[in-house]
């Protein structure tokens, strides 16, 4: 009988799943003299006997509940029936273990595990019990046991004796367990302490020797992802790694004999480092091949004072200028819209809901520091005006710089940066225009969170001739908050206000005021499923004061969602946006329109872009997108009658571009596209083109592109259109650059743009060279509005 935690059982299996505390009190029902006291030291004689027995094959002893069966129980209880027992090689037939003879009894004596019991008490009881003991594995016995005779019926006195023997006599096991538990406690305390000491000793070992350094290109920009290898004097590779985003790296090699650097669009470099000195490696990178849009250094050295002229040097970006003051120059990707694409100034999208005049008419000359261009693949996230691509630029310079230009253009510019704050001032004028701008930017970031605020204000005056004039202004405030963890969370608020006043050929002056409120928030996954989800609200108001005044508002609600999957051989970006659009207001003349109570509509714009790049050199980019363009207030309300439904251009675009690059000095591409338009206009625009960027040497590079377009779109209903169209057009440029870093840069451009929808060829050129450690001189000549301008200036930078 076993007792544990207040429970008694004669079956040990019922207690097998119960946890046993170290100091639990339990007992075993047995004869006291038949239970070995394991806490006593063995007698020397018993130790000798145990030593002799250890040389024999080991035996296993399983303790189980000891049940005493009466004579009546032997017939009914299965445990008390005769069974077969193996006693150290003695096979017992029918009967209990009591039938083992002397040899078998000696073999099953249990001396190995119970050395203190006398021989007279070893073996089965005289009554014959179902012991459940199996003594397996001994080989000393050789006789076979005989069957035991069947027991005689018991008398009443025998039954009483059995009941007395079954009375519980408990042996306290606490003294037996207490001593081992002390060892367990010591093990649990000393084990973690020893582990801590081992780890501390391991960390105290001297760190593996490292060679650290940084990698920059000739412009000072960090080169990320470059492969850096270290070799010994025999040419064997010691270590290799790749540079991080900031261009730094570390090699697990103490003193390599040589270090080599390989990166995309770079000249490979091998150098012999100095022992125990950081490596500062500079590579020559073919930036002209690597970047599709003009870089910051390009914008500084090019002859172009206007940003739209520099942007249109990028492949397939079409510039459509105008000889008259309105609408001004516009640019679009692949010429998909005569009214141009969406322009984003320092993160602020410019929507002129009144008449969609050029957003470039107020930007000062040589104010732009960076440009970013994208095609219609992102149009579904921007909506209106993005059907012809997105052209972004900013005027923030993170370095202290000043600029003074004389000649055809007179330009003064200055900028400064202090910590996370930067500010700039620009002033430019010539015989045709005068423009000014002030801007400031503050950025606070840390631990994946960032807060950015931008504010700017600009104004311009443009006069194509003495009989016309256009005054314009634009101001904006943008505040954006971003938090990056497992997901990128962002929110943005934009407030802007624009105005212009115009008079043409002695006509009455026309003025317009428009403003926007734009709220946008979204989430992008940074790991796991690469999804994005975004919601935005945009409200634009306008007041047009002319012969027929127009006042109204345009409200748009948008929800966008999509996924961006990146693989080893292919990329997929799929997204969709749902828009709810409402016009309100209209002309103030009651006879001018049939309906001015407002109108609304809803639409969905899906987009799918798939890029297949089986190797790093070849790629095939396919785009299928649905885009739209909303009418301005002048287009909707400028010509009666006014419909009670919203009519807009709905476009279906299919575009494919095949590209090859050798990852060194060459990049070439072919493109073909087709866009079907329905709504205000109906028809098809189709085109095809090619581009090439080739670094002839480390000093010479050539960049060229060509595009031919056919536009069959015509107005399907009467409306006021101010943009010039081009039924058939061919545009492109050839741009040749010579650059010897630190000494001289020369650019020559042969280009063909559109002027009032017609092809216009011209040649522009510039020289740029340093005259002092922080001073550079440039001379540039370009054609704008059919006039050539020659500028000479000096740039100071620290």
């Amino acid at each position: 009988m076993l007792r544990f935690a207040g429970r008694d059982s004669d079956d040990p299996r019922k207690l097998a799943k119960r946890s046993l505390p170290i100091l639990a009190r339990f007992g075993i029902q047995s004869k006291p003299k038949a239970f070995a006291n394991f806490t006593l030291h063995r007698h020397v004689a018993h130790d000798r006997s145990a030593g002799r027995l250890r040389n024999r094959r080991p035996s296993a002893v399983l303790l189980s509940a000891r049940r005493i069966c009466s004579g009546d129980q032997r017939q009914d209880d299965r445990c008390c029936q005769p069974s077969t027992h193996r006693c150290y090689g003695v096979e017992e037939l029918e009967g209990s273990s009591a039938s083992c003879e002397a040899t078998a009894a000696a073999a099953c004596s249990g001396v190995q595990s119970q050395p203190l019991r006398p021989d007279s008490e070893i073996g089965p009881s005289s009554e014959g019990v179902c012991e459940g003991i199996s003594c397996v594995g001994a080989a000393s016995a050789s006789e076979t046991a005989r069957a035991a005779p069947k027991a005689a019926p018991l008398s009443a006195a025998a039954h009483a004796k059995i009941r007395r023997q079954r009375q519980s006599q408990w042996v306290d096991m606490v003294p037996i367990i207490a001593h081992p538990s002390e060892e367990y406690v010591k093990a649990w305390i000393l084990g973690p302490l020893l582990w801590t000491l081992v780890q501390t000793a391991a960390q105290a070992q001297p760190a593996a020797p490292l060679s650290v350094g940084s990698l920059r290109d000739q412009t000072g920009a960090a080169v990320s992802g470059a492969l850096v290898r270290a070799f010994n004097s025999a040419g064997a590779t010691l270590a290799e790694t790749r540079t991080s985003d900031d261009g730094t790296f570390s090699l697990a090699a103490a003193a390599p004999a040589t270090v080599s650097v390989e990166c995309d669009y770079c000249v490979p470099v091998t150098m012999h480092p100095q022992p125990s000195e950081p490596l500062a490696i500079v590579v020559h990178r073919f930036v002209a091949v690597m970047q599709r849009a003009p870089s910051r250094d390009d914008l500084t050295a090019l002859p172009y004072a206007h940003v739209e002229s520099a942007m249109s040097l990028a492949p397939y970006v079409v510039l459509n200028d105008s000889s008259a003051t309105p609408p001004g120059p516009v640019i679009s990707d692949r010429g998909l819209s005569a009214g141009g694409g969406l322009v984003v100034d320092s993160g602020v999208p410019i929507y002129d809901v009144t008449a969609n005049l050029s957003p470039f008419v107020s930007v000062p000359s040589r104010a732009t520091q960076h440009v970013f261009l994208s095609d219609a693949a992102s149009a579904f996230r921007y909506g209106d005006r993005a059907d012809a691509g997105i052209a972004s630029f900013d005027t923030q310079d993170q370095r202290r710089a000043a600029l003074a230009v004389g000649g055809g253009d007179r330009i003064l510019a200055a900028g400064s940066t202090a910590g996370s704050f930067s500010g700039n001032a620009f002033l430019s004028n010539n015989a045709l225009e005068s423009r000014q701008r002030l801007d400031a930017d503050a950025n606070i970031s840390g631990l994946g969170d960032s807060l950015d605020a931008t504010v700017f204000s600009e104004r311009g005056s443009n006069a194509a001739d003495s009989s016309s004039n256009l005054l314009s202004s634009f101001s904006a405030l943008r505040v954006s908050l971003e938090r990056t963890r497992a997901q990128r969370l962002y929110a943005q608020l934009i407030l802007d206000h624009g105005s212009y006043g115009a008079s043409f050929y002695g006509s009455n002056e026309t003025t317009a005021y428009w403003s926007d409120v734009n709220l946008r928030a979204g989430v992008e996954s940074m790991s796991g499923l690469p999804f994005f989800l975004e919601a935005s609200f945009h409200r634009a108001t306008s007041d047009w004061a002319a012969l027929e005044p127009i006042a109204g508002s345009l409200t748009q609600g948008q929800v966008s969602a999509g996924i961006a999957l990146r693989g080893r051989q292919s990329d997929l970006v799929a997204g969709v946006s749902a828009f709810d659009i409402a016009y309100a207001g209209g002309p103030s003349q009651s006879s001018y329109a049939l309906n001015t109570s407002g109108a609304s509509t809803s639409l969905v714009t899906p987009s799918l872009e798939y890029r297949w790049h089986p190797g790093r050199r070849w790629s095939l980019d396919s785009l299928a997108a649905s885009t739209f363009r909303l009418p301005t207030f002048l287009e909707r309300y400028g010509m009666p009658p006014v419909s009670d439904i919203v009519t807009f251009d709905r476009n279906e675009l299919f575009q494919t571009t095949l590209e090859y690059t050798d990852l060194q000095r060459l990049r070439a591409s072919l493109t073909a596209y087709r866009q079907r338009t329905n709504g205000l206009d109906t028809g098809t625009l189709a085109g095809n083109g090619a581009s090439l960027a080739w670094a002839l040497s480390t000093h010479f590079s050539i960049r060229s592109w060509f595009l031919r377009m056919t536009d069959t779109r015509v107005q399907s209903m009467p409306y006021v259109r101010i943009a010039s169209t081009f039924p058939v057009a061919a545009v492109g440029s050839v741009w040749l650059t010579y650059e010897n870093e630190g000494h001289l840069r020369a650019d020559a451009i042969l280009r063909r743009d559109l002027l009032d929808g017609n092809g216009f060829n011209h040649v522009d050129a510039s020289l740029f060279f340093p005259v002092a450690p922080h001073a550079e001189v440039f001379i540039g000549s370009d054609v704008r509005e059919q006039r050539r301008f020659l500028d000479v200036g000096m740039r100071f930078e620290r």
Side-chain angles (χ1 to χ4, degrees), residues 163-209:
R163 283 193 298 271
R164 287 193 301 272
Q165 291 175 346
R166 294 177 63 183
Q167 296 297 323
S168 300
Q169 299 184 26
W170 297 98
V171 178
D172 193 359
M173 297 298 294
V174 171
I176 300 175
I177 300 299
H179 181 70
S181 67
E182 181 180 355
E183 296 178 355
Y184 296 154
V185 172
K186 291 179 180 179
W188 279 106
I189 295 176
L190 295 179
L193 180 60
L194 180 60
W195 175 257
T196 303
L197 293 176
V198 171
Q199 293 297 317
T200 304
Q203 295 177 2
Q205 297 296 325

Side-chain angles (χ1 to χ4, degrees), residues 78-100:
R78 180 178 58 84
C79 183
C80 296
Q81 296 301 317
S83 60
T84 303
H85 300 272
R86 173 170 293 276
C87 299
Y88 291 91
V90 179
E91 182 72 14
E92 181 181 82
L93 302 176
E94 294 297 323
S96 69
S97 60
S99 63
C100 295

Side-chain angles (χ1 to χ4, degrees), residues 550-790:
I550 300 174
S553 65
L554 171 61
T555 304
Q556 300 180 64
Q558 174 187 353
V559 176
S560 303
I563 58 174
L565 303 175
R566 310 293 181 185
R568 296 185 59 185
Q569 294 189 352
S570 62
D571 301 331
L572 175 67
V573 179
V576 62
S577 292
F579 293 87
D580 186 73
I581 302 166
Y583 282 85
S588 59
Q589 300 290 337
S590 59
S591 61
Y592 196 74
L594 298 178
N595 184 294
T596 59
S597 61
S600 62
T601 187
S602 299
L603 69 152
V604 176
T605 58
S607 176
L608 178 65
E609 182 182 19
Y610 178 75
R611 184 173 182 266
W612 181 53
H613 47 92
R616 298 185 61 202
R617 301 179 185 275
W618 288 94
S619 67
L620 179 65
D621 196 329
S622 300
L623 172 65
S626 176
T627 63
F628 68 96
R629 176 173 292 259
L630 297 176
T632 65
F633 282 9
L634 186 60
E635 291 171 338
R636 174 168 172 77
Y637 302 115
M639 184 177 296
V642 178
S643 174
D644 58 354
I645 62 174
V646 178
T647 304
F648 57 93
D649 280 340
R650 187 67 182 264
N651 309 306
E652 304 298 332
L653 172 66
F654 299 93
Q655 173 183 304
T656 301
T657 302
L658 176 66
E659 184 176 275
Y660 170 79
T661 175
D662 65 354
L663 299 176
Q664 291 292 323
R665 301 188 178 197
L666 180 67
R667 182 195 298 272
S669 70
L670 298 173
T671 188
Y673 60 98
R674 182 181 181 87
Q675 177 174 276
R676 176 71 181 175
T677 302
N678 288 290
L680 293 173
D681 302 300
T682 301
T684 302
L685 171 68
N688 51 73
S691 70
L692 173 68
W694 184 15
L696 304 175
S697 68
T698 56
H699 299 306
F700 284 97
S701 65
I702 184 172
R703 286 168 273 188
S704 177
W705 66 273
F706 174 82
L707 187 69
R708 180 179 177 83
M709 305 166 288
T710 302
D711 190 357
T712 63
R713 295 174 296 186
V714 296
Q715 290 186 2
S716 59
M717 59 180 299
Y719 69 91
V720 178
R721 170 186 280 177
I722 62 175
S724 55
T725 60
F726 39 88
V728 178
V731 294
S733 65
V734 178
W735 177 10
L736 180 64
T737 300
Y738 169 81
E739 184 173 10
N740 187 359
E741 289 83 8
H743 295 86
L744 176 66
R745 169 168 175 160
D747 293 274
I749 302 103
L750 170 64
R751 58 187 302 166
R752 179 181 176 88
D753 302 317
L754 295 179
L755 180 64
D756 298 328
N758 300 311
F760 176 64
N761 300 325
H762 56 103
V763 177
D764 308 314
S766 65
L767 290 175
F768 188 82
F769 53 92
V771 294
H774 301 288
E776 298 162 318
V777 171
F778 73 91
I779 304 172
S781 174
D782 72 313
V783 176
R784 301 191 301 271
E785 300 174 358
Q786 296 182 319
R787 297 188 181 186
R788 178 165 295 279
F789 291 82
L790 177 62

Side-chain angles (χ1 to χ4, degrees), residues 448-450 480-492 520-526 531 533:
D449 300 334
S450 65
S480 61
L481 177 65
E482 182 175 320
R483 183 172 190 177
T484 304
R485 297 292 188 274
Q487 292 84 28
R488 173 178 171 261
L489 304 175
Y490 60 92
Q492 183 174 257
R520 187 179 298 269
V523 56
E524 291 184 1
S525 174
M526 305 300 293
F531 71 93
L533 179 65

